[in-house]
């Protein structure tokens, strides 16, 4: 028999898994778009994406997510 609150704990772990996956996907997309912007010489878009990446990394860090293991290799800023 499960302890009271056990289902809530499992649900919370599942939510964090989805949260972590969302952060990972958004970071991967932002890094890809940053590479494309840099390749195309779009400095404004590159700066905007750099800000988004910094925000995502800060949010992840606040929630104990190791972003370096999620996003692959960061691009030069």
């Amino acid at each position: 028999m499960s302890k009271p609150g056990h289902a809530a704990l499992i649900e919370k772990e599942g939510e964090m898994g989805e949260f972590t996956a969302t952060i990972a996907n958004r970071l991967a997309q932002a890094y890809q778009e940053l590479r494309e912007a840099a390749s195309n010489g779009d400095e404004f878009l590159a700066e905007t994406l750099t800000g988004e990446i910094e925000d995502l990394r800060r949010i992840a860090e606040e929630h104990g997510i190791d972003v370096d293991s999620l996003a692959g290799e960061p691009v030069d800023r």
Side-chain angles (χ1 to χ4, degrees):
M1 179 175 237
S2 295
K3 296 178 185 178
H6 182 69
L9 178 61
I10 291 172
E11 184 177 311
K12 182 174 175 75
E13 288 174 354
E15 289 172 5
M16 285 305 292
E18 289 180 33
F19 179 74
T20 300
T22 298
I23 292 289
N25 289 335
R26 289 185 62 192
L27 275 170
Q29 181 178 8
Y31 277 121
Q32 177 60 37
E33 291 173 4
L34 178 57
R35 283 189 289 272
E36 291 172 8
S39 175
N40 293 329
D42 190 338
E43 292 180 26
F44 177 76
L45 181 57
E47 186 175 319
T48 301
L49 290 164
T50 298
E52 180 179 348
I53 289 167
E54 289 170 353
D55 288 344
L56 288 166
R57 292 176 66 88
R58 178 187 47 77
I59 291 166
E61 184 178 317
E62 288 173 358
H63 289 86
I65 298 169
D66 179 11
V67 292
D68 293 329
S69 67
L70 296 178
E73 294 182 32
V75 293
D76 293 330
R77 295 180 191 158

